[in-house]
Amino acid sequence: MSLATINPATGELLKSFEPLNDTEISSRLDLAQQAFEEYQKTSFAERSHILNQAANILEQEKSEFAKIMTLEMGKTHKSAVAEVEKCALVCRYYAEHAPQFLADVPIPTDASNSFVKYQPLGIILAVMPWNFPFWQVFRFAAPALMAGNAGILKHASNVPQCALAIEEIFLKAGLPKGVFQTFLVGAVKVADLIADDRIKAATLTGSEPAGMSLAANAGKQIKKVVLELGGSDPFIVLASADIEAAATTAVTARMLNNGQSCIAAKRFIIEDSVADKFEKLLLEKFQALKIGDPMLPETDIGPLATPGILKELDAQVQTAVNSGGKILFGGNITDLETQLTPSLRKGNFYPPTIITDISPEKPIAKEEFFGPVAMLFRVPDLNAAIKIANSTPFGLGASAWTTDKSEQERLIQEIEAGAVFINGMVKSDPRLPFGGIKRSGFGRELSIQGIHEFVNVKTVWVK
C-alpha cells in the first residue's frame, strides 16, 4: 500500500510514498518517548519561543504551504493561504496564553498548601483529516506542545506532503527531534498505535465510523480521546433578520472549503414570510459562483478531494430528489463540461446545488452533505425552526439570524450544538472552545478547555 498525492483538479498522480513498517514505527515511538522525557522539563518560555518561530515560518512561506494543500486536496489557493495564516495565529495564541492556562491553581483547604497542577501526559496520537490539512493539525499541536506533550501525527492518506511539511516546520522552529513526528501509515495501523503503551491519549477529527473505531480501541486501553466528527449545521433565518446579510453569509458558510467542512452551514431553515426573498438572493449568489482551477484567484469553488467523495455526494443528491426534493439549481455533473477546461474535466468537480421541498422527516434530510449542496426548508415560526434544527443526530454548530432578543435567547438556550452563532457564520477561533455534542463528538479543542484536555489535572495537598 502507498500513500499518494493525487491532484483532485486533474486526477493526476503527483507523488507516492511507502508507509512505515512495524520496525520503523516502533523505532520512532522510542524516539518520541525519549524526546518527551526531556521536552517535558523545558520551560514555558522555551516552548513559547518554538511556537512563535513556527508562526514566523508559516507566515513567511504561506504561499508555498498553501500550494501543497491545493494540489493535495483541492481547496482554493486563496483559502489555503488564509488557513496557513490561521495556523500562525493559533501558535501565537498558545505561546502567549499557555503559561496562564497551565499555572498552578491554589485552593484553600485544611492543608498548609493545596493546589491543582497541570502536567503533560506524554505522547498524544493525532488522527487528522484532509479537509483542513494544516489547521486541524496545528489546533491540536499548539496546545499539546505548549503543555509539554509529544505528538504523533497520523494524517489522511491523500495529504502526505502536508503531513511531512508540518513536521519540518516544527523542526525548523527548534522543536527537539522526535517531539512531533509524522507517521506515514494507513488507517489499519491506528488500532496498534492506540494499543501501544507509549501512546497515552488520542484525538481524532473525521468521520463517525473513524471516531467510533478510535473510541472503541481507546476504551479497551482506558485511554482518553477527543473526537470532532461530522456535522449537519442548521442556518436559521427568521423574519426580523437582515436578509441580504444572511444570504451573503449563507453562500460563504455553505461553500467554505468547496463545501467540505464539518461546520459548514448545510440545512437552511427559513421562516415563511422571508423565504421567497432569501431563496431568490441565494439563487442569484449561487449562479454567480465561479467553479474551476483552485490555483486561480478568481475561482470560488475547486474540486472535491477524492472521486469517492464526489460519487457519494452525487448519490445523496439523487436520493434527495427521489425523496421528493426539487433541484432549484445545479445537481448535474455533466453541466460542468462546458464550464471547465479540458485539463480539469477529469477532476472531482461538483456544481453548486440548491435543493428545496425535502420533507425534514426524510432520512436524507438528516444526513451530512460534504460538498457544495444546500438544502432549504421553510418553516412557519421559531418553534418549527428549532425542531428541525435539532432533528439530526449531529450537534456541532448552528447559525441563526434574528434581531429579536427573545428569539436570540431561545435559540441560544434550545439549539442542541456545541456552538451557536447569532447573526454570523459558525467558525473556529483560538480564543473560543470548539467541539460538538451528540454524534458530532465530545471533548473540546482551542481556548483554555482545549489545552486542558491532554494534561494530568493533579491535586497536590501538603501539610
Side-chain angles (χ1 to χ4, degrees), residues 83 126 137 170 243 255 272 378 404 409:
E83 180 171 334
V137 177
F170 281 122
I243 306 303
M255 296 303 162
D272 277 332
R378 294 179 179 231
D404 184 299
E409 287 301 319

Side-chain angles (χ1 to χ4, degrees), residues 3 28 39 43 144 205 243 265 287 316 393:
L3 313 174
R28 288 175 179 234
Y39 180 69
S43 66
T205 298
I243 306 303
Q287 290 171 332
Q316 286 179 299

Side-chain angles (χ1 to χ4, degrees), residues 235-243 246 267-279 376-386 388 399-404 407-408 410-411:
F235 189 103
I236 300 169
V237 182
L238 300 175
S240 68
D242 182 332
I243 306 303
R267 297 176 298 132
F268 296 84
I269 304 166
I270 318 301
E271 192 166 3
D272 277 332
S273 62
V274 293
D276 286 343
K277 181 178 180 180
F278 180 87
E279 184 178 291
L376 264 61
F377 302 89
R378 294 179 179 231
V379 293
D381 54 30
L382 176 61
N383 290 332
I386 292 173
I388 292 177
S399 175
W401 294 72
T402 173
T403 56
D404 184 299
E407 289 181 338
Q408 291 177 3
R410 280 199 60 195
L411 288 158

Side-chain angles (χ1 to χ4, degrees), residues 94-234:
Y94 279 108
E96 177 182 354
H97 294 285
Q100 171 194 345
F101 291 162
L102 298 176
D104 293 349
V105 179
I107 298 176
T109 68
D110 56 335
S112 303
N113 184 23
S114 51
F115 57 97
V116 174
K117 175 174 283 296
Y118 300 104
Q119 294 181 305
L121 295 178
I123 304 171
I124 313 299
L125 172 66
V127 181
M128 294 288 108
W130 48 263
N131 59 335
F132 291 93
F134 267 57
W135 169 244
Q136 306 277 18
V137 177
F138 275 91
R139 78 181 189 192
F140 149 74
L145 294 174
M146 277 305 300
N149 293 300
I152 297 296
L153 170 62
K154 186 276 169 216
H155 218 325
S157 60
N158 60 327
V159 290
Q161 293 190 64
C162 289
L164 293 170
I166 293 168
E167 178 181 344
E168 186 63 25
I169 289 167
F170 281 122
L171 287 171
K172 285 184 178 179
L175 191 69
K177 185 177 180 181
V179 175
F180 184 94
Q181 297 180 69
T182 283
F183 280 21
L184 292 184
V185 297
V188 295
K189 292 296 182 184
V190 171
D192 291 339
L193 288 170
I194 287 289
D196 194 291
D197 288 341
R198 290 164 289 191
I199 300 286
K200 303 304 181 189
T203 181
L204 178 144
T205 298
S207 67
E208 287 179 80
M212 288 187 284
S213 176
L214 182 86
N217 285 308
K220 293 174 185 176
Q221 307 299 326
I222 317 180
K223 293 181 180 179
K224 182 175 183 179
V225 297
V226 169
L227 301 178
E228 193 266 279
L229 309 177
S232 188
D233 285 9

Side-chain angles (χ1 to χ4, degrees), residues 184-398:
L184 292 184
V185 297
V188 295
K189 292 296 182 184
V190 171
D192 291 339
L193 288 170
I194 287 289
D196 194 291
D197 288 341
R198 290 164 289 191
I199 300 286
K200 303 304 181 189
T203 181
L204 178 144
T205 298
S207 67
E208 287 179 80
M212 288 187 284
S213 176
L214 182 86
N217 285 308
K220 293 174 185 176
Q221 307 299 326
I222 317 180
K223 293 181 180 179
K224 182 175 183 179
V225 297
V226 169
L227 301 178
E228 193 266 279
L229 309 177
S232 188
D233 285 9
F235 189 103
I236 300 169
V237 182
L238 300 175
S240 68
D242 182 332
I243 306 303
E244 176 69 44
T248 299
T249 304
V251 178
T252 304
R254 176 60 281 209
M255 296 303 162
L256 178 68
N257 204 34
N258 305 334
Q260 301 164 118
S261 170
C262 295
I263 56 170
K266 300 185 176 85
R267 297 176 298 132
F268 296 84
I269 304 166
I270 318 301
E271 192 166 3
D272 277 332
S273 62
V274 293
D276 286 343
K277 181 178 180 180
F278 180 87
E279 184 178 291
K280 180 176 181 291
L281 288 169
L282 191 70
L283 176 60
E284 291 172 354
K285 295 173 189 301
F286 267 50
Q287 290 171 332
L289 293 169
K290 183 173 177 56
I291 188 168
D293 185 346
M295 288 300 298
L296 298 179
E298 63 268 24
T299 297
D300 298 307
I301 302 174
L304 301 180
T306 69
I309 295 165
L310 176 66
K311 183 178 179 180
E312 180 179 352
L313 181 67
D314 189 49
Q316 286 179 299
V317 171
Q318 298 313 311
T319 299
V321 172
N322 294 335
S323 299
K326 296 179 181 178
I327 300 294
L328 180 65
F329 181 69
N332 192 338
I333 297 176
T334 58
D335 290 344
L336 290 175
E337 290 185 6
T338 58
Q339 301 179 44
L340 299 172
T341 61
S343 63
L344 299 179
R345 288 175 187 167
K346 292 184 179 179
N348 310 320
F349 292 92
Y350 196 85
T353 298
I354 301 173
I355 306 174
T356 64
D357 295 354
I358 307 173
S359 167
E361 303 303 318
K362 295 288 186 180
I364 191 66
K366 305 176 189 298
E367 291 185 10
E368 177 179 29
F369 284 61
F370 221 58
V373 178
M375 291 188 289
L376 264 61
F377 302 89
R378 294 179 179 231
V379 293
D381 54 30
L382 176 61
N383 290 332
I386 292 173
K387 181 179 179 181
I388 292 177
N390 291 339
S391 68
T392 75
F394 300 106
L396 193 53

